[in-house]
Amino acid sequence: MTHELIENTFFQYFGNDVLNRADDAAVFSANRGDIAFTTDSFVVKPLFFPGGDIGKLSVCGTVNDLVVCGAEPRYISCGFIIEEGFDKSDLVKVIMSMAYWANEAGVKVVTGDTKVVGRGAADRLFINTSGIGLFKSDLRLGVGKINEGDKVIITGTIGEHGIAVLSKREGLEFESRIMSDCAPLNKMLMNVLDETGGIKFMRDPTRGGLATTLNEIVICGNFGILLEEEKIPISDSVRAACALLGLDPLYIANEGKALLIADASCEKKVLELLRKHAYGRNAETIGEITKDNVNMVRLKTRYGVTRMVDMLSGEPMPRIC
Amino acid sequence: MTHELIENTFFQYFGNDVLNRADDAAVFSANRGDIAFTTDSFVVKPLFFPGGDIGKLSVCGTVNDLVVCGAEPRYISCGFIIEEGFDKSDLVKVIMSMAYWANEAGVKVVTGDTKVVGRGAADRLFINTSGIGLFKSDLRLGVGKINEGDKVIITGTIGEHGIAVLSKREGLEFESRIMSDCAPLNKMLMNVLDETGGIKFMRDPTRGGLATTLNEIVICGNFGILLEEEKIPISDSVRAACALLGLDPLYIANEGKALLIADASCEKKVLELLRKHAYGRNAETIGEITKDNVNMVRLKTRYGVTRMVDMLSGEPMPRIC
C-alpha cells in the first residue's frame, strides 16, 4: 500500500518524459560528449529545518556537486530508505519539495527506488540522490589550473545551514531566525562560467565548512591560500549563534554557497555577475593564492595578525572522493 | 578516523582512472549517444548470506538493471550509510566484495559518498548504487515490441536468492544448502543481444519474483502470457524449502536471473547462447505471449489445468518507476 502511494506520488510530482517510461533505468541522450556523475546520501536530522528540508537538500546538494565541476546538471535519481510507520504526509511534503527544487534548478528526476525498512532500522527517512551533468564546452576546472595571485571568492555569507539545523536539533533548540542557505547554484554559476573565461576551480563548502574545503584544495596543490578575515561575509546572527555555541563559523556547513578561484583579471566581472543573482548578493573576494606557505591556509585577522586555519581534526570528513 | 579508513579502503579497492581524480563528481566521456541511468538502495538483512553479501548484491543489482534495458553497464556510484560502531572488518569485506564483482562485471566504481549515522539510526549498513550504461547500437527494447507468439525465456532456476536470505534470517534459520543466485548478467545478456536480433524485452525478476515481473509486463501491454508449469526451472531444494515455509517459488526474489521475451524465430539460438554461459546453464522457454487473456498471466499446470497467476496483493512492490 505504501509503495503504491509512493509510486503515485512520485509520478505525480516528478512526471517528465524520461521518468514516465517506467523502465528499470532511465534512458536519455548525452550526445554532447563528457558527462559528470555524482552521488550523495542525505541523513539530515531534523528532516524539516528553517529554510529547507531533506528533499530540498538532496536536490540542491547533487545539483551543486555537478555544477562546481563545470557541468550543467541535468538528470537526478533518487533512492528513498523509509522507516516503517513514517508519516505519509511528511513523505509527500518531501517529495513535493524535491519536485519543486528540481524544477527550479532545471533538472529532471528520471529514476528512483524506495525501500521500506522495519521500525527502528532507519531514522525516519534517508535519501540518496545521484546526478548526471553534461559539459557545454571543453572547459575543465581543476586544482591544476590555480596560480599565484588568483582570487578566492565566496558567493555569500557562511554558516547559515549548519546553524539553522543545529537550532532545531533536540536538546539544543535555541531561538534564532537563521535560515539554511540551501539553494541550487547551477544557474548562477553556469552564467559566471559562460560569461567569464577565468574561473579555475569551484567547490561547495558543505560539511566541515569553508576552512575544510580550503584545506582540501591546498593539500592538492602547490600553493597556499591567504584569507582576509574582514572580507569573509558572516551575518550578525550567525556570528552571535557561533559565539553562543562556541563554534567557529569557518567550520560550519553551507548548502547554498560556492567557493570560486578565479584569475585576478576577471575578479570584478565575477563579483558583478554573482551579485546580480539572488544567491550571490553577498559575494566577496576573501583571499588569494600565494606562492609561499604551500599547502597551508592562513588567515590575516582584523588586527593584522596572521594565523593558520587548520583542518579540524576529528571533524568528520565528508568526502571519500 | 572512520572516514579516513573508508577513504583509504575505497581508493585501495576501487582505484581506477576516473575515481582517482578525487573531484565532487566523476567525469567521463559518453560519446556513443544514449545512456541509461538507474538507482537502487540495498537494505538486505543479514548483510552476509550464502552465495553473497550486500556489496555483491549492490553491484549486481545495478549492473542487471542496466543490461536488461539493453545498455552496457559502465560506471557505478556507491553511497554508504553506516551505523556508528559498525564493524570495520565487515565494512572492508563488503567493499572488497563490491570491488571484486565490479571487476568481474567490467564496471568502474567512479564516485561515492559515506555518511555515518548514530547508533540505532540505521541497521548496520545500507548501500545505494546508481549506475550508467551506454548503448552500443540503436536497438531499443520495450514492451511495445512484444507480439503474439513471442517466447518467454528464463535464464535459469528461480527462487534461490530469496530462500538463501530467508534461511539466515533471525528467528527463521533452517538447514539449507541453497545459495543466492546473485550474479552480474551483463556479459551473458550483451552477448545474446549482440548475436541475435530478436530480443524484444528483458527484465530481472527480483523482489516479488517471476510472477510479479510477468504481471508488471502484461499490465503495460496488449497481450497475455501463458506459462507452462512443467517448464519453469526450480531446484529440488528450493521446492522443498518453499513447501516447508508455505511459499510459492514464483513469488520469491531472484538476483541472478533474467526474463527474456524473444521472437520465436530466435528461441533456439537464444537458449543455446544462454546455456553456454555459467549463469544461463538452466535457461528454459517457460511460456509464450498470447493474443487473448490480455493483461493476464496464466499458468498451465502439470495436470493440464490453467490458472491465473496474480500479482501478490500485499507484497511490497519494489519499483517506483
Side-chain angles (χ1 to χ4, degrees):
Chain A
M1 299 303 110
T2 308
H3 275 281
E4 207 173 302
L5 171 100
I6 296 163
E7 189 169 334
N8 292 340
T9 312
F10 265 82
F11 280 107
Q12 183 181 340
Y13 293 105
F14 293 149
N16 64 56
D17 55 325
V18 183
L19 176 64
N20 288 335
R21 283 179 213 148
D23 282 322
D24 264 356
V27 175
F28 44 83
S29 164
N31 275 327
R32 290 189 295 179
D34 276 7
I35 71 180
F37 182 31
T38 188
T39 192
D40 214 342
S41 299
F42 297 85
V43 297
V44 67
K45 197 178 164 179
L47 299 178
F48 301 90
F49 48 82
D53 59 79
I54 189 172
K56 178 180 181 183
L57 199 59
S58 69
V59 169
C60 296
T62 289
V63 160
N64 293 345
D65 277 351
L66 291 169
V67 73
V68 295
C69 292
E72 188 175 60
R74 295 288 293 273
Y75 303 103
I76 280 189
S77 69
C78 65
F80 278 36
I81 296 175
I82 303 168
E83 185 185 11
E84 200 186 321
F86 178 62
D87 189 61
K88 286 185 183 99
S89 67
D90 278 348
L91 185 61
V92 171
K93 262 192 246 171
V94 169
I95 294 175
M96 283 177 66
S97 172
M98 290 184 77
Y100 178 86
W101 288 101
N103 185 55
E104 269 293 297
V107 297
K108 289 178 180 176
V109 178
V110 292
T111 186
D113 170 67
T114 50
K115 292 288 177 337
V116 177
V117 297
R119 254 172 227 270
D123 191 1
R124 306 184 73 205
L125 176 66
F126 299 144
I127 300 179
N128 175 284
T129 45
S130 299
I132 290 178
L134 307 180
F135 285 91
K136 290 168 83 174
S137 72
D138 289 336
L139 175 76
R140 295 290 173 275
L141 307 176
V143 171
K145 307 207 164 175
I146 299 172
N147 293 317
E148 185 187 357
D150 286 350
K151 298 297 179 182
V152 179
I153 296 167
I154 184 86
T155 60
T157 52
I158 63 168
E160 274 104 357
H161 176 72
I163 297 295
V165 171
L166 277 179
S167 76
K168 292 296 164 194
R169 205 161 273 179
E170 283 167 59
L172 199 74
E173 287 166 66
F174 56 91
E175 273 309 311
S176 142
R177 297 190 169 200
I178 299 165
M179 309 266 278
S180 167
D181 61 340
C182 181
L185 302 177
N186 53 323
K187 288 179 183 172
M188 176 175 77
L189 296 180
M190 288 309 291
N191 179 243
V192 171
L193 279 180
D194 288 349
E195 301 290 322
T196 66
I199 303 294
K200 311 287 192 83
F201 185 84
M202 301 196 290
R203 181 69 47 108
D204 50 334
T206 55
R207 233 191 316 175
L210 187 63
T212 302
T213 300
L214 289 170
N215 271 286
E216 286 171 351
I217 297 169
V218 292
I219 285 165
C220 298
N222 198 27
F223 52 78
I225 288 176
L226 180 62
L227 300 174
E228 287 188 66
E229 188 175 33
E230 272 183 301
K231 296 286 194 69
I232 301 173
I234 306 177
S235 72
D236 289 342
S237 44
V238 164
R239 215 181 279 279
C242 282
L244 183 77
L245 298 165
L247 297 170
D248 183 341
L250 290 177
Y251 294 92
I252 306 295
N254 309 280
E255 289 290 347
K257 296 292 150 29
L259 198 71
L260 282 66
I261 300 184
D263 195 277
S265 67
C266 65
E267 175 192 3
K268 272 186 189 156
K269 177 87 174 157
V270 170
L271 286 174
E272 188 188 305
L273 289 168
L274 288 173
R275 287 173 183 164
K276 271 188 194 163
H277 202 284
Y279 301 141
R281 270 195 301 262
N282 299 310
E284 283 292 350
T285 300
I286 58 172
E288 75 173 42
I289 303 297
T290 62
K291 206 177 165 182
D292 55 353
N293 293 283
V294 170
N295 300 343
M296 283 183 211
V297 179
R298 291 173 308 140
L299 179 80
K300 205 163 92 190
T301 69
R302 57 193 72 225
Y303 309 107
V305 184
T306 299
R307 67 166 175 92
M308 282 267 299
V309 178
D310 273 329
M311 197 82 123
L312 205 60
S313 76
E315 173 75 353
M317 289 289 304
R319 282 192 189 89
I320 56 140
C321 61
Chain B
M1 298 304 106
T2 308
H3 275 280
E4 206 173 303
L5 171 101
I6 296 164
E7 189 168 333
N8 292 340
T9 312
F10 264 83
F11 280 106
Q12 183 181 340
Y13 292 106
F14 293 148
N16 63 57
D17 54 327
V18 183
L19 177 63
N20 289 336
R21 281 179 215 151
D23 282 322
D24 264 355
V27 175
F28 44 82
S29 165
N31 275 329
R32 290 189 296 179
D34 275 7
I35 73 180
F37 181 32
T38 188
T39 193
D40 215 343
S41 298
F42 296 86
V43 297
V44 66
K45 197 178 164 178
L47 298 178
F48 300 90
F49 48 81
D53 59 79
I54 191 173
K56 178 180 180 184
L57 199 59
S58 70
V59 170
C60 296
T62 288
V63 160
N64 293 345
D65 277 350
L66 291 169
V67 72
V68 295
C69 293
E72 188 174 62
R74 295 288 292 274
Y75 302 104
I76 281 188
S77 69
C78 66
F80 279 37
I81 296 175
I82 303 168
E83 185 185 10
E84 199 187 324
F86 178 64
D87 189 62
K88 287 188 181 96
S89 66
D90 278 347
L91 185 62
V92 171
K93 263 193 244 170
V94 168
I95 294 175
M96 283 177 67
S97 172
M98 290 185 78
Y100 178 86
W101 288 101
N103 185 55
E104 268 295 297
V107 297
K108 289 178 179 175
V109 178
V110 293
T111 187
D113 170 67
T114 50
K115 293 289 176 335
V116 177
V117 297
R119 256 173 226 270
D123 190 3
R124 305 184 73 204
L125 175 66
F126 299 143
I127 300 178
N128 175 283
T129 45
S130 300
I132 289 177
L134 307 181
F135 286 92
K136 290 168 84 173
S137 72
D138 289 335
L139 176 75
R140 295 290 174 275
L141 307 175
V143 171
K145 307 207 163 175
I146 299 173
N147 293 317
E148 185 188 357
D150 286 350
K151 299 298 180 180
V152 179
I153 295 167
I154 184 84
T155 59
T157 52
I158 62 168
E160 273 104 356
H161 177 72
I163 298 294
V165 171
L166 276 179
S167 76
K168 292 295 163 196
R169 205 161 273 180
E170 282 167 58
L172 200 75
E173 288 167 66
F174 56 91
E175 273 310 312
S176 144
R177 298 191 168 198
I178 300 166
M179 309 266 278
S180 167
D181 62 341
C182 181
L185 302 177
N186 54 323
K187 288 179 183 171
M188 177 174 77
L189 296 180
M190 287 310 290
N191 180 242
V192 172
L193 279 179
D194 288 348
E195 300 290 324
T196 66
I199 304 294
K200 310 289 191 79
F201 185 83
M202 302 196 290
R203 181 71 46 109
D204 50 333
T206 55
R207 234 189 317 172
L210 188 61
T212 302
T213 300
L214 289 170
N215 271 287
E216 286 171 351
I217 297 169
V218 292
I219 284 165
C220 298
N222 197 24
F223 52 78
I225 288 177
L226 181 61
L227 300 174
E228 287 189 65
E229 188 174 31
E230 273 184 301
K231 296 285 194 67
I232 301 172
I234 306 176
S235 72
D236 290 343
S237 44
V238 165
R239 215 182 279 281
C242 281
L244 183 76
L245 298 166
L247 296 170
D248 183 341
L250 289 177
Y251 294 92
I252 306 294
N254 310 279
E255 289 289 349
K257 296 292 150 29
L259 198 70
L260 281 66
I261 299 184
D263 193 278
S265 67
C266 66
E267 175 191 1
K268 273 187 187 154
K269 178 85 175 161
V270 171
L271 287 173
E272 190 188 304
L273 289 168
L274 288 173
R275 286 172 183 162
K276 271 188 193 163
H277 202 284
Y279 301 141
R281 270 194 302 261
N282 299 310
E284 283 292 351
T285 300
I286 58 172
E288 75 174 40
I289 303 297
T290 63
K291 206 176 163 182
D292 56 353
N293 292 285
V294 170
N295 300 344
M296 284 184 208
V297 179
R298 291 172 309 138
L299 180 80
K300 205 163 93 191
T301 69
R302 57 193 74 224
Y303 311 107
V305 184
T306 299
R307 68 165 175 91
M308 284 267 299
V309 178
D310 272 329
M311 197 82 123
L312 204 61
S313 76
E315 173 76 352
M317 290 290 304
R319 279 188 194 88
I320 57 138
C321 62

